[in-house]
Amino acid sequence: TLIRFSWSARTLRHRRDWVYYRRVTIRKQIASYLSVNRWGAGRTYMTDSLGELKVLLVDDNQHMRAIVAAILKGIGVRQVLEARDGAEALSHLKTWPADIAIIDFQMAPVDGVEFTRMVRRAETSPNPYLPIIMMTGYAERKKVMEARDAGVTEFLVKPITAKGIITRLNEVVFKPRPFVRTDEYFGPSRRRIEDPSSQHQRRATDRSKVAEI
């Protein structure tokens, strides 16, 4: 019994150490990125003064939500509301005026693409102009184009990093693109949205530029 108790206690310590390690790693990523890029090349970068920003975080994976929420809180975002799928997120938007939505592509019953369509086009949408950052592990151009044509503002390629989130928030907050309305499309101008399939290719070949669609 004593041996079993010691083993359990040791395992528990290992788990706590792992959680602490994850938190420290995230904080180091954030601090490193901000210290290097905050005043780089005449650009305005994200700082930790984001306490008033309301972010709706939507993902059916609780572990992924925890990672993204930790990064957001690490850069100063104090108001983060989580949802498990697009349907729950749409319900939250009726009573909680989010400034930005960070959503996953693949969810059920309402996935990220359908959520985006409903936000952009539904007559009952509380904010058709809501900036939407889509997290995706898909590199297929067909899926990327589907999300883009639904009205996604920016893409965030998995695996999620502090640098990736900070960069996308920087684009949305400091470099907003004008909205376009046509017979078939309503959403942000699609010229500057990066293709995740190109990002995957860049990582594989160490290319310096990402093709735009």
Side-chain angles (χ1 to χ4, degrees):
T1 303
L2 180 60
I3 295 176
R4 181 177 301 175
F5 173 79
S6 299
W7 182 87
S8 299
R10 186 162 58 249
T11 302
L12 182 60
R13 285 197 300 272
H14 287 169
R15 290 178 180 176
R16 281 199 289 247
D17 290 344
W18 182 86
V19 172
Y20 175 77
Y21 170 78
R22 287 292 303 163
R23 290 176 178 173
V24 170
T25 301
I26 290 172
R27 289 171 184 169
K28 286 182 177 180
Q29 288 180 359
I30 294 169
S32 175
Y33 184 74
L34 290 177
S35 64
V36 171
N37 294 301
R38 184 175 293 176
W39 308 112
R43 298 179 64 185
T44 306
Y45 287 87
M46 193 63 58
T47 68
D48 55 359
S49 58
L50 299 173
E52 300 303 317
L53 192 68
K54 293 184 176 181
V55 177
L56 179 61
L57 176 58
V58 191
D59 197 311
D60 57 356
N61 187 314
Q62 183 178 2
H63 177 65
M64 182 60 64
R65 292 201 310 269
I67 291 175
V68 176
I71 294 174
L72 290 171
K73 292 176 182 179
I75 62 176
V77 179
R78 295 194 298 268
Q79 301 184 71
V80 179
L81 181 61
E82 299 183 15
R84 291 167 293 185
D85 59 69
E88 185 177 352
L90 289 168
S91 178
H92 285 326
L93 285 177
K94 296 178 181 178
T95 57
W96 198 75
D99 298 306
I100 296 173
I102 300 178
I103 67 171
D104 189 36
F105 189 110
Q106 186 66 42
M107 297 180 292
V110 178
D111 63 15
V113 173
E114 186 59 28
F115 168 84
T116 303
R117 289 197 186 104
M118 295 178 73
V119 168
R120 297 285 185 245
R121 304 175 188 177
E123 294 183 359
T124 57
S125 175
N127 183 10
Y129 297 91
L130 178 70
I132 299 175
I133 301 174
M134 177 170 284
M135 300 181 290
T136 178
Y138 291 111
E140 298 176 21
R141 189 172 181 82
K142 180 180 179 181
K143 292 184 178 293
V144 172
M145 296 294 286
E146 180 185 10
R148 185 202 70 162
D149 292 340
V152 168
T153 310
E154 299 285 347
F155 287 100
L156 185 58
V157 178
K158 296 179 181 180
I160 304 300
T161 64
K163 178 180 178 181
I165 291 178
I166 293 170
T167 300
R168 291 296 173 261
L169 287 178
N170 179 66
E171 297 287 345
V172 169
V173 173
F174 294 112
K175 301 177 182 179
R177 286 177 288 115
F179 271 63
V180 176
R181 185 184 295 276
T182 67
D183 293 338
E184 299 179 351
Y185 175 77
F186 173 72
S189 174
R190 294 174 283 187
R191 288 184 175 273
R192 208 190 66 209
I193 297 181
E194 290 183 346
D195 184 344
S197 63
S198 298
Q199 294 185 41
H200 280 285
Q201 187 176 18
R202 177 185 59 174
R203 290 178 180 178
T205 60
D206 292 327
R207 292 181 179 177
S208 60
K209 295 183 178 180
V210 177
E212 293 186 345
I213 57 176

